[in-house]
Amino acid sequence: MPPSEHGGRRPGAGRPAGEPSQRIRVPESQVPAVLAYLDAYRSPASLEAPRPVSQDPSTVALTAFLSRVPAGVPSLAEDDVDEVVDLNQHLVLPGHEPSTFIIRVSGWSMIGAGIFDGDEVLVDRALAPRQGDIVVAVVNNELTIKRLGKVDGHIALLPENAHFKPIVFREGETLSVWGVVTRCLRTLR
């Protein structure tokens, strides 16, 4: 029988020796986020040596206008043109490209922050979370988006909708922040 092209030892593959494993179920809509999390978790978290991006990011150049538009159309005069904007540079912090992800939001717990069901958010995993930040966190093996805060002196994940309760972490419980939300993208048409 010829040797197989599959199998064998691979560096970093499998679980650590002697550590038990557990099978978990993940909603299909969350599989891409979980796989991105696992990929980022397995990679070094150093900003000095970000993991290489497999493809060159696309560049979208849009014209930016100097004038603000409260309820009208900007003047198309050449004098009003400020610059050409690359959306990658405009939306993602410099050097944070490998640690920035887009996640689609499901649910209504953050409507007070202007984040609605179906919106997409940019999440930067290289930022250290601070109190008041909107974060994507892992709670009971599921991702959730909430504001990082405190309730009665305990760290909590706070919804921005009165119909939802805060998730309060008591002594001995740990909070795992997956990343910090930096932008919300919404389709208007």
Side-chain angles (χ1 to χ4, degrees), residues 117-136:
D117 183 61
D119 285 353
E120 295 171 328
V121 292
L122 283 165
V123 181
D124 190 332
R125 300 208 57 220
L127 293 176
R130 298 184 303 213
Q131 187 169 333
D133 282 342
I134 295 175
V135 299
V136 173

Side-chain angles (χ1 to χ4, degrees), residues 106-159:
S106 174
W108 298 98
S109 70
M110 295 302 290
I111 60 173
I115 301 173
F116 299 94
D117 183 61
D119 285 353
E120 295 171 328
V121 292
L122 283 165
V123 181
D124 190 332
R125 300 208 57 220
L127 293 176
R130 298 184 303 213
Q131 187 169 333
D133 282 342
I134 295 175
V135 299
V136 173
V138 182
V139 176
N140 297 327
N141 293 325
E142 292 186 18
L143 293 176
T144 187
I145 180 171
K146 301 284 186 281
R147 188 172 301 278
L148 185 60
K150 289 190 175 186
V151 171
D152 298 328
H154 297 280
I155 294 175
L157 294 173
L158 308 172

